[in-house]
Amino acid sequence: MSAEKIAILAGGKNLPYRLAKHCNPDLIIGFKGQAIPSLYEDYKYEEVSLGEVGKLLKLLEKNDIKKICMLGKLERPRFKDLALDMKAVTLAAKYRLDKVLQSEGDDGLLRLVKRILEDHGVAVVGAHKLCPALLLPVGSFTKVKPSKSDIQFIKRGFDVAHALGAVDVGQAVVIEEGVVLGVEAAEGTDELIKRCMTLSRGKGPILVKALKPEQDLDIDMPVFGLDTLRLMKEGGYKGFSGLAAKTLMADDQDEVLSYADQHKMFIHGS
Amino acid sequence: MSAEKIAILAGGKNLPYRLAKHCNPDLIIGFKGQAIPSLYEDYKYEEVSLGEVGKLLKLLEKNDIKKICMLGKLERPRFKDLALDMKAVTLAAKYRLDKVLQSEGDDGLLRLVKRILEDHGVAVVGAHKLCPALLLPVGSFTKVKPSKSDIQFIKRGFDVAHALGAVDVGQAVVIEEGVVLGVEAAEGTDELIKRCMTLSRGKGPILVKALKPEQDLDIDMPVFGLDTLRLMKEGGYKGFSGLAAKTLMADDQDEVLSYADQHKMFIHGS
């Protein structure tokens, strides 16, 4: 099994590069305009646009890839940038893309991509399986630790997040001294963090990020890193708690740690 | 029982006045700077500041009031506007106001006021008991009715709201074509409505407003009226659904109806 060839399907930012350094893939396929090609000079690198499904499948076949990991930020493309190839159009029809998008949205699109790859003999695996070193560990590895009452607030935050998850809404919650300041739905975590700055009474909000119960970690993992931490610092946040071993660290752990320590925030794996 | 004297403890806006017209109270006590005295010229009217608990209790005793309804918008006061009297300070200590505020926030304050009034022989009753005419009726009374799929979206919105309510967070949810755009926590319904405008894909969001399971309708009822409707119109909302007989109409129903009809929105009591 370990001889199976592995590819990374790379979106933007550093995360796919960090995974590559750890798992030494046989091929990296970057999404045009999103992946950063200069990062991958030491690897066999190819590019496809988001709509070139035929080209993607051919690249995988030609290189005998049996396992693929999709990782990195994807900006929602404008339709004209999709550059659908013939295979993409055929598959969109065959797999009823219209119905998937209508009823399941972006999540459904990712699940569909996974299904198509698997139907072509390529297993889709999450970074958590390939490289546990990228994951948030258990407990606090920052100098500042959450206090006993912070741990209670975090627990309450997860209770709220799980209740939301059970009805398939959002993953993130901001809590301050037991008061739930905000709950994430379609606006995304950044907007949630910013909004809760203005609602804070200055006691230090805590960001909690959980999972939806049916969230497939092979295609969609919670991510935490410097961008989020910088935003939290602006808002006087006390710290962050995510699910240990189920949250990807987007940036080098030492950098994340030193930034958190410098600004007296905690990072806690629950 | 029906001979018991009734008072309205009035906050801002029109709602206390609308209740007065329907239930003909023996006394109206307005909160200074919040209630609109000119509305109550035909009634016996007194004023107290938010902190004059002693004065309030004396007024109730002197007028032999046995039943009181608290109604109308209250702006959160600055401490210097509270004007605490001696009785207020004594009661704050006796009822451990500090602990209530710390653990229960604004909800706890309202429950405490209810307890204090009841301990002084005055029953606190909600407007829904005194005046069902102010309540949202069952079904759609606007020209535009929610479609079959809208009814499904509304049902989903209530499911989400109930899940949130079960963990004691928010009451309002905005949903568009099955996608939950936003969920209310500390930001309030107005901010939720505005935020979801920018998240809408132009299909027409629907505002759903439920109850927390432990919400005491005698002291805190969901309110819907022209202010909300105007904001919804700006954002291209399709309509509103609240719990029939458990949502107060803040404004004259004919005015609300004609505004909704003019802008092709529905109002639906679930």
PDB file of all heavy atoms in Angstrom, chain A residues 51-84:
ATOM      1  N   GLY A  51     -11.815  24.026 -14.171  1.00  0.00           N
ATOM      2  CA  GLY A  51     -12.769  23.292 -15.000  1.00  0.00           C
ATOM      3  C   GLY A  51     -12.143  22.218 -15.877  1.00  0.00           C
ATOM      4  O   GLY A  51     -12.842  21.528 -16.620  1.00  0.00           O
ATOM      5  N   GLU A  52     -10.831  22.057 -15.794  1.00  0.00           N
ATOM      6  CA  GLU A  52     -10.170  21.079 -16.660  1.00  0.00           C
ATOM      7  C   GLU A  52     -10.143  19.687 -16.022  1.00  0.00           C
ATOM      8  O   GLU A  52      -9.079  19.154 -15.688  1.00  0.00           O
ATOM      9  CB  GLU A  52      -8.747  21.541 -16.999  1.00  0.00           C
ATOM     10  CG  GLU A  52      -8.738  22.785 -17.896  1.00  0.00           C
ATOM     11  CD  GLU A  52      -7.324  23.291 -18.188  1.00  0.00           C
ATOM     12  OE1 GLU A  52      -6.487  23.305 -17.263  1.00  0.00           O
ATOM     13  OE2 GLU A  52      -7.072  23.679 -19.334  1.00  0.00           O
ATOM     14  N   VAL A  53     -11.309  19.111 -15.883  1.00  0.00           N
ATOM     15  CA  VAL A  53     -11.418  17.811 -15.218  1.00  0.00           C
ATOM     16  C   VAL A  53     -10.785  16.719 -16.075  1.00  0.00           C
ATOM     17  O   VAL A  53     -10.122  15.809 -15.563  1.00  0.00           O
ATOM     18  CB  VAL A  53     -12.893  17.478 -14.920  1.00  0.00           C
ATOM     19  CG1 VAL A  53     -12.996  16.149 -14.185  1.00  0.00           C
ATOM     20  CG2 VAL A  53     -13.526  18.580 -14.087  1.00  0.00           C
ATOM     21  N   GLY A  54     -10.984  16.820 -17.398  1.00  0.00           N
ATOM     22  CA  GLY A  54     -10.396  15.834 -18.301  1.00  0.00           C
ATOM     23  C   GLY A  54      -8.877  15.841 -18.178  1.00  0.00           C
ATOM     24  O   GLY A  54      -8.242  14.791 -18.032  1.00  0.00           O
ATOM     25  N   LYS A  55      -8.291  17.036 -18.210  1.00  0.00           N
ATOM     26  CA  LYS A  55      -6.839  17.160 -18.080  1.00  0.00           C
ATOM     27  C   LYS A  55      -6.362  16.602 -16.729  1.00  0.00           C
ATOM     28  O   LYS A  55      -5.357  15.872 -16.674  1.00  0.00           O
ATOM     29  CB  LYS A  55      -6.435  18.637 -18.211  1.00  0.00           C
ATOM     30  CG  LYS A  55      -4.932  18.859 -18.196  1.00  0.00           C
ATOM     31  CD  LYS A  55      -4.571  20.318 -18.457  1.00  0.00           C
ATOM     32  CE  LYS A  55      -3.068  20.541 -18.239  1.00  0.00           C
ATOM     33  NZ  LYS A  55      -2.721  21.977 -18.289  1.00  0.00           N
ATOM     34  N   LEU A  56      -7.096  16.902 -15.683  1.00  0.00           N
ATOM     35  CA  LEU A  56      -6.745  16.406 -14.349  1.00  0.00           C
ATOM     36  C   LEU A  56      -6.737  14.877 -14.319  1.00  0.00           C
ATOM     37  O   LEU A  56      -5.765  14.251 -13.875  1.00  0.00           O
ATOM     38  CB  LEU A  56      -7.736  16.954 -13.316  1.00  0.00           C
ATOM     39  CG  LEU A  56      -7.642  16.366 -11.900  1.00  0.00           C
ATOM     40  CD1 LEU A  56      -6.317  16.721 -11.249  1.00  0.00           C
ATOM     41  CD2 LEU A  56      -8.790  16.860 -11.017  1.00  0.00           C
ATOM     42  N   LEU A  57      -7.811  14.262 -14.840  1.00  0.00           N
ATOM     43  CA  LEU A  57      -7.905  12.797 -14.807  1.00  0.00           C
ATOM     44  C   LEU A  57      -6.788  12.164 -15.639  1.00  0.00           C
ATOM     45  O   LEU A  57      -6.210  11.146 -15.249  1.00  0.00           O
ATOM     46  CB  LEU A  57      -9.281  12.342 -15.309  1.00  0.00           C
ATOM     47  CG  LEU A  57     -10.471  12.694 -14.380  1.00  0.00           C
ATOM     48  CD1 LEU A  57     -11.801  12.355 -15.041  1.00  0.00           C
ATOM     49  CD2 LEU A  57     -10.336  11.968 -13.039  1.00  0.00           C
ATOM     50  N   LYS A  58      -6.459  12.787 -16.784  1.00  0.00           N
ATOM     51  CA  LYS A  58      -5.372  12.262 -17.628  1.00  0.00           C
ATOM     52  C   LYS A  58      -4.034  12.340 -16.915  1.00  0.00           C
ATOM     53  O   LYS A  58      -3.225  11.406 -16.976  1.00  0.00           O
ATOM     54  CB  LYS A  58      -5.309  13.039 -18.948  1.00  0.00           C
ATOM     55  CG  LYS A  58      -6.139  12.373 -20.037  1.00  0.00           C
ATOM     56  CD  LYS A  58      -5.869  12.970 -21.403  1.00  0.00           C
ATOM     57  CE  LYS A  58      -7.004  12.581 -22.335  1.00  0.00           C
ATOM     58  NZ  LYS A  58      -7.503  13.725 -23.117  1.00  0.00           N
ATOM     59  N   LEU A  59      -3.774  13.467 -16.236  1.00  0.00           N
ATOM     60  CA  LEU A  59      -2.524  13.628 -15.490  1.00  0.00           C
ATOM     61  C   LEU A  59      -2.395  12.549 -14.415  1.00  0.00           C
ATOM     62  O   LEU A  59      -1.318  11.976 -14.213  1.00  0.00           O
ATOM     63  CB  LEU A  59      -2.473  15.007 -14.825  1.00  0.00           C
ATOM     64  CG  LEU A  59      -2.055  16.183 -15.706  1.00  0.00           C
ATOM     65  CD1 LEU A  59      -2.270  17.510 -14.966  1.00  0.00           C
ATOM     66  CD2 LEU A  59      -0.580  16.042 -16.109  1.00  0.00           C
ATOM     67  N   LEU A  60      -3.491  12.272 -13.742  1.00  0.00           N
ATOM     68  CA  LEU A  60      -3.459  11.272 -12.677  1.00  0.00           C
ATOM     69  C   LEU A  60      -3.182   9.881 -13.253  1.00  0.00           C
ATOM     70  O   LEU A  60      -2.371   9.121 -12.721  1.00  0.00           O
ATOM     71  CB  LEU A  60      -4.789  11.273 -11.897  1.00  0.00           C
ATOM     72  CG  LEU A  60      -5.091  12.577 -11.139  1.00  0.00           C
ATOM     73  CD1 LEU A  60      -6.472  12.525 -10.497  1.00  0.00           C
ATOM     74  CD2 LEU A  60      -4.026  12.863 -10.078  1.00  0.00           C
ATOM     75  N   GLU A  61      -3.841   9.590 -14.382  1.00  0.00           N
ATOM     76  CA  GLU A  61      -3.665   8.283 -15.012  1.00  0.00           C
ATOM     77  C   GLU A  61      -2.238   8.121 -15.520  1.00  0.00           C
ATOM     78  O   GLU A  61      -1.573   7.109 -15.267  1.00  0.00           O
ATOM     79  CB  GLU A  61      -4.675   8.152 -16.163  1.00  0.00           C
ATOM     80  CG  GLU A  61      -4.902   6.713 -16.608  1.00  0.00           C
ATOM     81  CD  GLU A  61      -5.942   6.642 -17.732  1.00  0.00           C
ATOM     82  OE1 GLU A  61      -6.586   7.690 -18.007  1.00  0.00           O
ATOM     83  OE2 GLU A  61      -6.073   5.578 -18.356  1.00  0.00           O
ATOM     84  N   LYS A  62      -1.761   9.131 -16.255  1.00  0.00           N
ATOM     85  CA  LYS A  62      -0.416   9.076 -16.844  1.00  0.00           C
ATOM     86  C   LYS A  62       0.656   8.877 -15.777  1.00  0.00           C
ATOM     87  O   LYS A  62       1.649   8.181 -15.995  1.00  0.00           O
ATOM     88  CB  LYS A  62      -0.159  10.406 -17.576  1.00  0.00           C
ATOM     89  CG  LYS A  62       0.818  10.310 -18.732  1.00  0.00           C
ATOM     90  CD  LYS A  62       1.001  11.662 -19.432  1.00  0.00           C
ATOM     91  CE  LYS A  62       2.048  12.506 -18.728  1.00  0.00           C
ATOM     92  NZ  LYS A  62       2.193  13.861 -19.342  1.00  0.00           N
ATOM     93  N   ASN A  63       0.448   9.480 -14.613  1.00  0.00           N
ATOM     94  CA  ASN A  63       1.451   9.381 -13.547  1.00  0.00           C
ATOM     95  C   ASN A  63       1.159   8.245 -12.562  1.00  0.00           C
ATOM     96  O   ASN A  63       1.803   8.142 -11.523  1.00  0.00           O
ATOM     97  CB  ASN A  63       1.531  10.710 -12.789  1.00  0.00           C
ATOM     98  CG  ASN A  63       2.196  11.800 -13.620  1.00  0.00           C
ATOM     99  OD1 ASN A  63       3.411  11.866 -13.696  1.00  0.00           O
ATOM    100  ND2 ASN A  63       1.380  12.635 -14.270  1.00  0.00           N
ATOM    101  N   ASP A  64       0.125   7.457 -12.898  1.00  0.00           N
ATOM    102  CA  ASP A  64      -0.226   6.291 -12.081  1.00  0.00           C
ATOM    103  C   ASP A  64      -0.513   6.646 -10.620  1.00  0.00           C
ATOM    104  O   ASP A  64      -0.124   5.936  -9.687  1.00  0.00           O
ATOM    105  CB  ASP A  64       0.923   5.263 -12.158  1.00  0.00           C
ATOM    106  CG  ASP A  64       0.459   3.886 -11.689  1.00  0.00           C
ATOM    107  OD1 ASP A  64      -0.759   3.608 -11.814  1.00  0.00           O
ATOM    108  OD2 ASP A  64       1.301   3.123 -11.182  1.00  0.00           O
ATOM    109  N   ILE A  65      -1.207   7.774 -10.437  1.00  0.00           N
ATOM    110  CA  ILE A  65      -1.553   8.236  -9.081  1.00  0.00           C
ATOM    111  C   ILE A  65      -2.758   7.465  -8.563  1.00  0.00           C
ATOM    112  O   ILE A  65      -3.776   7.363  -9.245  1.00  0.00           O
ATOM    113  CB  ILE A  65      -1.891   9.751  -9.102  1.00  0.00           C
ATOM    114  CG1 ILE A  65      -0.734  10.582  -9.624  1.00  0.00           C
ATOM    115  CG2 ILE A  65      -2.340  10.213  -7.705  1.00  0.00           C
ATOM    116  CD1 ILE A  65       0.496  10.587  -8.773  1.00  0.00           C
ATOM    117  N   LYS A  66      -2.651   6.940  -7.348  1.00  0.00           N
ATOM    118  CA  LYS A  66      -3.742   6.152  -6.768  1.00  0.00           C
ATOM    119  C   LYS A  66      -4.354   6.843  -5.540  1.00  0.00           C
ATOM    120  O   LYS A  66      -5.321   6.378  -4.958  1.00  0.00           O
ATOM    121  CB  LYS A  66      -3.220   4.766  -6.321  1.00  0.00           C
ATOM    122  CG  LYS A  66      -2.768   3.889  -7.471  1.00  0.00           C
ATOM    123  CD  LYS A  66      -3.970   3.411  -8.280  1.00  0.00           C
ATOM    124  CE  LYS A  66      -3.545   2.589  -9.480  1.00  0.00           C
ATOM    125  NZ  LYS A  66      -4.350   2.935 -10.677  1.00  0.00           N
ATOM    126  N   LYS A  67      -3.714   7.934  -5.117  1.00  0.00           N
ATOM    127  CA  LYS A  67      -4.129   8.605  -3.888  1.00  0.00           C
ATOM    128  C   LYS A  67      -3.938  10.102  -4.082  1.00  0.00           C
ATOM    129  O   LYS A  67      -2.898  10.530  -4.597  1.00  0.00           O
ATOM    130  CB  LYS A  67      -3.228   8.124  -2.747  1.00  0.00           C
ATOM    131  CG  LYS A  67      -3.892   8.070  -1.402  1.00  0.00           C
ATOM    132  CD  LYS A  67      -2.936   7.517  -0.367  1.00  0.00           C
ATOM    133  CE  LYS A  67      -3.446   6.220   0.223  1.00  0.00           C
ATOM    134  NZ  LYS A  67      -2.537   5.689   1.257  1.00  0.00           N
ATOM    135  N   ILE A  68      -4.918  10.891  -3.663  1.00  0.00           N
ATOM    136  CA  ILE A  68      -4.779  12.339  -3.863  1.00  0.00           C
ATOM    137  C   ILE A  68      -5.259  13.082  -2.620  1.00  0.00           C
ATOM    138  O   ILE A  68      -6.197  12.646  -1.934  1.00  0.00           O
ATOM    139  CB  ILE A  68      -5.553  12.779  -5.127  1.00  0.00           C
ATOM    140  CG1 ILE A  68      -5.131  14.179  -5.561  1.00  0.00           C
ATOM    141  CG2 ILE A  68      -7.073  12.743  -4.898  1.00  0.00           C
ATOM    142  CD1 ILE A  68      -5.549  14.513  -6.982  1.00  0.00           C
ATOM    143  N   CYS A  69      -4.600  14.170  -2.313  1.00  0.00           N
ATOM    144  CA  CYS A  69      -5.008  15.019  -1.191  1.00  0.00           C
ATOM    145  C   CYS A  69      -5.296  16.421  -1.715  1.00  0.00           C
ATOM    146  O   CYS A  69      -4.444  17.033  -2.355  1.00  0.00           O
ATOM    147  CB  CYS A  69      -3.904  15.058  -0.138  1.00  0.00           C
ATOM    148  SG  CYS A  69      -4.316  16.083   1.284  1.00  0.00           S
ATOM    149  N   MET A  70      -6.516  16.902  -1.484  1.00  0.00           N
ATOM    150  CA  MET A  70      -6.894  18.247  -1.939  1.00  0.00           C
ATOM    151  C   MET A  70      -6.701  19.222  -0.778  1.00  0.00           C
ATOM    152  O   MET A  70      -7.290  19.037   0.293  1.00  0.00           O
ATOM    153  CB  MET A  70      -8.361  18.259  -2.367  1.00  0.00           C
ATOM    154  CG  MET A  70      -8.723  17.156  -3.359  1.00  0.00           C
ATOM    155  SD  MET A  70     -10.353  17.397  -4.132  1.00  0.00           S
ATOM    156  CE  MET A  70     -11.450  16.862  -2.840  1.00  0.00           C
ATOM    157  N   LEU A  71      -5.915  20.264  -1.005  1.00  0.00           N
ATOM    158  CA  LEU A  71      -5.565  21.130   0.122  1.00  0.00           C
ATOM    159  C   LEU A  71      -5.271  22.547  -0.358  1.00  0.00           C
ATOM    160  O   LEU A  71      -4.728  22.747  -1.441  1.00  0.00           O
ATOM    161  CB  LEU A  71      -4.317  20.562   0.818  1.00  0.00           C
ATOM    162  CG  LEU A  71      -4.099  20.942   2.270  1.00  0.00           C
ATOM    163  CD1 LEU A  71      -5.217  20.417   3.148  1.00  0.00           C
ATOM    164  CD2 LEU A  71      -2.756  20.406   2.757  1.00  0.00           C
ATOM    165  N   GLY A  72      -5.568  23.522   0.471  1.00  0.00           N
ATOM    166  CA  GLY A  72      -5.260  24.915   0.163  1.00  0.00           C
ATOM    167  C   GLY A  72      -6.501  25.709  -0.168  1.00  0.00           C
ATOM    168  O   GLY A  72      -7.517  25.182  -0.623  1.00  0.00           O
ATOM    169  N   LYS A  73      -6.431  26.988   0.100  1.00  0.00           N
ATOM    170  CA  LYS A  73      -7.582  27.874  -0.061  1.00  0.00           C
ATOM    171  C   LYS A  73      -8.003  27.978  -1.528  1.00  0.00           C
ATOM    172  O   LYS A  73      -7.171  28.161  -2.414  1.00  0.00           O
ATOM    173  CB  LYS A  73      -7.210  29.269   0.453  1.00  0.00           C
ATOM    174  CG  LYS A  73      -8.394  30.181   0.679  1.00  0.00           C
ATOM    175  CD  LYS A  73      -7.944  31.466   1.350  1.00  0.00           C
ATOM    176  CE  LYS A  73      -9.092  32.464   1.446  1.00  0.00           C
ATOM    177  NZ  LYS A  73     -10.221  31.948   2.263  1.00  0.00           N
ATOM    178  N   LEU A  74      -9.309  27.842  -1.782  1.00  0.00           N
ATOM    179  CA  LEU A  74      -9.829  28.063  -3.136  1.00  0.00           C
ATOM    180  C   LEU A  74     -10.777  29.253  -3.139  1.00  0.00           C
ATOM    181  O   LEU A  74     -11.751  29.268  -2.400  1.00  0.00           O
ATOM    182  CB  LEU A  74     -10.586  26.817  -3.630  1.00  0.00           C
ATOM    183  CG  LEU A  74      -9.750  25.630  -4.098  1.00  0.00           C
ATOM    184  CD1 LEU A  74     -10.639  24.564  -4.687  1.00  0.00           C
ATOM    185  CD2 LEU A  74      -8.708  26.059  -5.134  1.00  0.00           C
ATOM    186  N   GLU A  75     -10.444  30.251  -3.945  1.00  0.00           N
ATOM    187  CA  GLU A  75     -11.381  31.353  -4.117  1.00  0.00           C
ATOM    188  C   GLU A  75     -12.475  30.873  -5.058  1.00  0.00           C
ATOM    189  O   GLU A  75     -12.201  30.187  -6.044  1.00  0.00           O
ATOM    190  CB  GLU A  75     -10.683  32.565  -4.764  1.00  0.00           C
ATOM    191  CG  GLU A  75      -9.499  33.096  -3.992  1.00  0.00           C
ATOM    192  CD  GLU A  75      -9.901  33.795  -2.703  1.00  0.00           C
ATOM    193  OE1 GLU A  75     -11.090  34.163  -2.573  1.00  0.00           O
ATOM    194  OE2 GLU A  75      -9.039  33.948  -1.820  1.00  0.00           O
ATOM    195  N   ARG A  76     -13.704  31.234  -4.744  1.00  0.00           N
ATOM    196  CA  ARG A  76     -14.809  30.878  -5.635  1.00  0.00           C
ATOM    197  C   ARG A  76     -14.568  31.553  -6.994  1.00  0.00           C
ATOM    198  O   ARG A  76     -14.424  32.777  -7.071  1.00  0.00           O
ATOM    199  CB  ARG A  76     -16.113  31.383  -5.033  1.00  0.00           C
ATOM    200  CG  ARG A  76     -17.356  31.040  -5.812  1.00  0.00           C
ATOM    201  CD  ARG A  76     -18.522  31.802  -5.223  1.00  0.00           C
ATOM    202  NE  ARG A  76     -18.985  31.177  -3.983  1.00  0.00           N
ATOM    203  CZ  ARG A  76     -19.908  30.219  -3.962  1.00  0.00           C
ATOM    204  NH1 ARG A  76     -20.445  29.791  -5.089  1.00  0.00           N
ATOM    205  NH2 ARG A  76     -20.298  29.705  -2.828  1.00  0.00           N
ATOM    206  N   PRO A  77     -14.472  30.776  -8.069  1.00  0.00           N
ATOM    207  CA  PRO A  77     -14.096  31.356  -9.365  1.00  0.00           C
ATOM    208  C   PRO A  77     -15.273  32.032 -10.065  1.00  0.00           C
ATOM    209  O   PRO A  77     -16.429  31.708  -9.797  1.00  0.00           O
ATOM    210  CB  PRO A  77     -13.682  30.124 -10.163  1.00  0.00           C
ATOM    211  CG  PRO A  77     -14.551  29.040  -9.616  1.00  0.00           C
ATOM    212  CD  PRO A  77     -14.785  29.354  -8.164  1.00  0.00           C
ATOM    213  N   ARG A  78     -14.960  32.987 -10.939  1.00  0.00           N
ATOM    214  CA  ARG A  78     -15.998  33.474 -11.843  1.00  0.00           C
ATOM    215  C   ARG A  78     -16.170  32.440 -12.950  1.00  0.00           C
ATOM    216  O   ARG A  78     -15.212  31.741 -13.309  1.00  0.00           O
ATOM    217  CB  ARG A  78     -15.575  34.826 -12.433  1.00  0.00           C
ATOM    218  CG  ARG A  78     -15.693  35.947 -11.415  1.00  0.00           C
ATOM    219  CD  ARG A  78     -15.191  37.235 -11.991  1.00  0.00           C
ATOM    220  NE  ARG A  78     -13.787  37.083 -12.403  1.00  0.00           N
ATOM    221  CZ  ARG A  78     -13.082  38.063 -12.966  1.00  0.00           C
ATOM    222  NH1 ARG A  78     -13.636  39.232 -13.205  1.00  0.00           N
ATOM    223  NH2 ARG A  78     -11.820  37.879 -13.315  1.00  0.00           N
ATOM    224  N   PHE A  79     -17.377  32.337 -13.488  1.00  0.00           N
ATOM    225  CA  PHE A  79     -17.662  31.260 -14.439  1.00  0.00           C
ATOM    226  C   PHE A  79     -16.689  31.270 -15.616  1.00  0.00           C
ATOM    227  O   PHE A  79     -16.212  30.232 -16.052  1.00  0.00           O
ATOM    228  CB  PHE A  79     -19.104  31.340 -14.957  1.00  0.00           C
ATOM    229  CG  PHE A  79     -19.500  30.126 -15.742  1.00  0.00           C
ATOM    230  CD1 PHE A  79     -19.806  28.941 -15.086  1.00  0.00           C
ATOM    231  CD2 PHE A  79     -19.532  30.140 -17.125  1.00  0.00           C
ATOM    232  CE1 PHE A  79     -20.155  27.807 -15.797  1.00  0.00           C
ATOM    233  CE2 PHE A  79     -19.873  29.008 -17.840  1.00  0.00           C
ATOM    234  CZ  PHE A  79     -20.185  27.841 -17.175  1.00  0.00           C
ATOM    235  N   LYS A  80     -16.329  32.467 -16.106  1.00  0.00           N
ATOM    236  CA  LYS A  80     -15.461  32.546 -17.275  1.00  0.00           C
ATOM    237  C   LYS A  80     -14.036  32.040 -16.972  1.00  0.00           C
ATOM    238  O   LYS A  80     -13.286  31.690 -17.883  1.00  0.00           O
ATOM    239  CB  LYS A  80     -15.428  33.969 -17.850  1.00  0.00           C
ATOM    240  CG  LYS A  80     -14.607  34.971 -17.059  1.00  0.00           C
ATOM    241  CD  LYS A  80     -14.579  36.315 -17.777  1.00  0.00           C
ATOM    242  CE  LYS A  80     -13.698  37.311 -17.039  1.00  0.00           C
ATOM    243  NZ  LYS A  80     -12.273  36.955 -16.976  1.00  0.00           N
ATOM    244  N   ASP A  81     -13.666  32.008 -15.699  1.00  0.00           N
ATOM    245  CA  ASP A  81     -12.344  31.487 -15.334  1.00  0.00           C
ATOM    246  C   ASP A  81     -12.334  29.965 -15.162  1.00  0.00           C
ATOM    247  O   ASP A  81     -11.286  29.371 -14.934  1.00  0.00           O
ATOM    248  CB  ASP A  81     -11.859  32.130 -14.024  1.00  0.00           C
ATOM    249  CG  ASP A  81     -11.688  33.632 -14.179  1.00  0.00           C
ATOM    250  OD1 ASP A  81     -11.374  34.064 -15.315  1.00  0.00           O
ATOM    251  OD2 ASP A  81     -11.880  34.356 -13.201  1.00  0.00           O
ATOM    252  N   LEU A  82     -13.508  29.354 -15.247  1.00  0.00           N
ATOM    253  CA  LEU A  82     -13.580  27.916 -15.004  1.00  0.00           C
ATOM    254  C   LEU A  82     -12.925  27.109 -16.122  1.00  0.00           C
ATOM    255  O   LEU A  82     -12.321  26.077 -15.888  1.00  0.00           O
ATOM    256  CB  LEU A  82     -15.036  27.468 -14.864  1.00  0.00           C
ATOM    257  CG  LEU A  82     -15.599  27.525 -13.451  1.00  0.00           C
ATOM    258  CD1 LEU A  82     -17.067  27.135 -13.459  1.00  0.00           C
ATOM    259  CD2 LEU A  82     -14.817  26.617 -12.515  1.00  0.00           C
ATOM    260  N   ALA A  83     -13.048  27.595 -17.369  1.00  0.00           N
ATOM    261  CA  ALA A  83     -12.457  26.912 -18.524  1.00  0.00           C
ATOM    262  C   ALA A  83     -12.810  25.425 -18.567  1.00  0.00           C
ATOM    263  O   ALA A  83     -11.938  24.561 -18.581  1.00  0.00           O
ATOM    264  CB  ALA A  83     -10.937  27.094 -18.534  1.00  0.00           C
ATOM    265  N   LEU A  84     -14.105  25.133 -18.530  1.00  0.00           N
ATOM    266  CA  LEU A  84     -14.573  23.740 -18.552  1.00  0.00           C
ATOM    267  C   LEU A  84     -14.076  23.025 -19.813  1.00  0.00           C
ATOM    268  O   LEU A  84     -14.227  23.528 -20.918  1.00  0.00           O
ATOM    269  CB  LEU A  84     -16.110  23.701 -18.563  1.00  0.00           C
ATOM    270  CG  LEU A  84     -16.831  24.223 -17.319  1.00  0.00           C
ATOM    271  CD1 LEU A  84     -18.334  24.056 -17.487  1.00  0.00           C
ATOM    272  CD2 LEU A  84     -16.362  23.497 -16.073  1.00  0.00           C
TER     273      LEU A  84
END
